[in-house]
Amino acid sequence: MPKTMVEKILSRSSGTEEVAVGDIVESKVDMAMSHDNTWLVAETFEKIGAEKIWDLDKVVVLLDHRIPSNTLEVASSHSYIRNMVKKYGIKNYYGERKGICHQVMFEMGHVVPGSLIVGADSHSTSYGAVGAMGIGIGASEMAAVWTTGKLWLKVPCSIRIDVAGEFPQHVHPKDLILKVIGDMTADGATYKSVEYCGDATAKLGMSGRITICNMSMEMGAKCAMVPPDEGTRQYLKDKIRVPYDEVHPDPDAVYEQTINVDLSDLVPMIAKPHTVDNVDPVEKMAGKAIDQAVLGSCTNGRLEDLENAAKVLEGHTVHPDVRMLVIPASTEVYMQALDAGIVKKLISAGCLILNSGCGPCLGAHQGILASSEVAITTTNRNFRGRMGSPESEIYLASPETVAASAIKGMITDPREVVE
Amino acid sequence: MSELPLPYSSRMSGTARLVGNDVNTDVIIPGRRLIHRDPFMLARFVMEDLDPEFGKMIEPGDIIVAGKNFGCGSSREQAPIAIRYAGISAVIAVSYARIFYRNSMNIGLPVIECPDIIGKIEDGDQVSIDLEEGFLQHKRGSLTEELEFRPIPEFLLDMLKDGGLVAHLQKQLRGEG
């Protein structure tokens, strides 16, 4: 039987020769990641009463959501996590030093093509950027994985998105994924696997692939993947030293739906409050005044993103009525941006640089919105109250669009600012 | 964490609390509230960004009736925890986001998928559910209607009966599973 990528990975991880859509399989997990919510994972693990973690090589823990701790409650839950890390001997523990979990997972070589990775974070779909199956699970389920190393999964049907063409100037993977989510709607891929295929996936770059796999979650996807290619191998060359088996879809694999996207037809896109599928071309919202601009997150906080924004900001300053926050996705990205002079450009333009982490994305700290304030951000969700007051508004867009809007003090199509 | 306020029962009944489509986990329990580790504390803020009065109006046993894609967004398990500890006995929705569905069952909150409820159940209706038989009934004045839903897979029902994933695993570790 020809297989899709997800069928191959679930077949291998469950030791089942033939899997069919709708089958429930028990799969062995290759890697398990949790962040600040590890307190709940560990507390649940203690309650289960297992003596030890199933495989210490396969567990990753770090802190990224609220770092450094911003309240006494957070400080005590972080402290509890550190104690549990010591108690159970978790060796792949990075504390708050490395940055956002998904980015760090790639950088540390924990994301191996063809593997099954569970994360106690919904944006674990990101791992598909190198052709791994990444799925989000809750804290109790992560505690169960710590105990048994296994997880039941339903074999999902798959949607194929065939990408062709070339990005026009000032149009980016973020614009592509916003367009796709707008067309598919917020539950258009629920319970399904999304596979991005076609030669033009090479044009996405690795950073762009992470962006689109990450945000596929916002149309409900169980997982999202791009088949590995030469770009993937180059990207992983210095990160993974063990041999691995790439997974590719069979030519006659069965998809529930195939969608064709021509990159050449895209324009800068924006998601309007309060759902990610409420998408329009940026030019339709042009002129809307903003109070805060955010550049960062697991979706768009990589070197390419910072670079794109810095290019737009060069020779300009952030509008006096706007505060622009920049959060490099990881310490490694931060240092690369320092070396490349990008950080200096951003600071000179009036940006505030924050430590690598999730920052204001989930409204925990570092840039909470007041009532009636408006933010434009490169993050992944614009739900009501996500970044602060339920009366605030969040718009999602690419780093270039965010930078252009920060200059003008209002939502701006980047093609208007950059020649 | 404290024990669940409601033990497992295959039958439950309560007042319908209607919410719309695409209710996400950020409005079920906002990120700013996740600093609380006490589930009863979380329950105080349930749905506050959707309706600040929502939590205060809940009577123990009430049933949330939702549209499509209930629980979309973050993987935070605190979302079903806040709902459960607020006294909600079950959720009926047209459809769910997958992580929320799993999290709910894992913490012992029964979640039922029933596309037939669209336009049928109103806020305040009396709803009763038979989890194992796979049907629900709703009453409003003289109207009584019965709707079927896709039965919960047996292995998930077994987990619910045990009180959720933790209790289920404890049982397995004791060799009773």
Side-chain angles (χ1 to χ4, degrees), chain A residues 39-40 44 47 66 74 77 121-122 136 138-141 144 152 186-187 190-191 217 381 383-384 386 388, chain B residues 1 24 26 31-32 35 37 49 68-69 73-75 77 96 98-99 102-103 106 165-166 169-170 173:
Chain A
W39 74 264
L40 186 51
T44 310
K47 214 183 282 177
R66 292 171 173 79
V74 172
S77 80
D121 187 279
S122 58
S140 288
E141 209 141 46
W152 70 267
D187 63 346
T190 297
Y191 300 118
M217 168 61 205
R381 290 195 177 122
F383 299 155
R384 185 186 295 280
R386 168 99 174 161
Chain B
M1 223 187 281
N24 65 69
D26 272 87
R32 61 183 180 275
I35 57 168
R37 290 168 68 173
D49 284 356
K68 70 175 181 71
N69 203 23
S74 150
S75 65
E77 196 165 288
Y96 295 91
R98 56 166 291 275
I99 305 178
R102 293 181 78 113
N103 282 347
N106 287 339
L165 179 61
V166 171
L169 275 174
Q170 285 170 335
L173 287 177

Side-chain angles (χ1 to χ4, degrees), chain A residues 258-302:
Chain A
T258 298
I259 295 160
N260 292 297
V261 184
D262 191 333
L263 299 177
S264 325
D265 296 339
L266 295 174
V267 295
M269 302 297 284
I270 194 163
K272 303 170 290 175
H274 295 287
T275 56
V276 184
D277 58 357
N278 189 15
V279 172
D280 253 332
V282 172
E283 59 187 5
K284 276 207 171 175
M285 285 313 299
K288 166 100 185 168
I290 59 160
D291 302 286
Q292 181 162 291
V294 178
L295 169 62
S297 81
C298 53
T299 309
N300 274 122
R302 278 170 287 279

Side-chain angles (χ1 to χ4, degrees), chain A residues 152-232:
Chain A
W152 70 267
L153 291 166
K154 201 189 242 183
V155 180
C157 59
S158 300
I159 297 173
R160 183 181 164 108
I161 299 185
D162 256 320
V163 190
E166 299 257 6
F167 278 115
Q169 282 242 297
H170 314 302
V171 178
H172 300 279
K174 181 62 161 278
D175 301 304
L176 163 66
I177 190 61
L178 288 177
K179 169 78 175 127
V180 169
I181 296 168
D183 291 349
M184 296 283 295
T185 77
D187 63 346
T190 297
Y191 300 118
K192 296 171 190 169
S193 170
V194 180
E195 295 180 12
Y196 294 89
C197 303
D199 290 343
T201 52
K203 316 255 169 60
L204 298 170
M206 294 315 294
S207 177
R209 293 182 206 191
I210 300 175
T211 304
I212 61 165
C213 289
N214 170 287
M215 277 201 80
S216 296
M217 168 61 205
E218 305 309 325
M219 49 183 175
K222 178 174 198 152
C223 57
M225 285 182 269
V226 182
D229 61 9
E230 197 43 42
T232 318

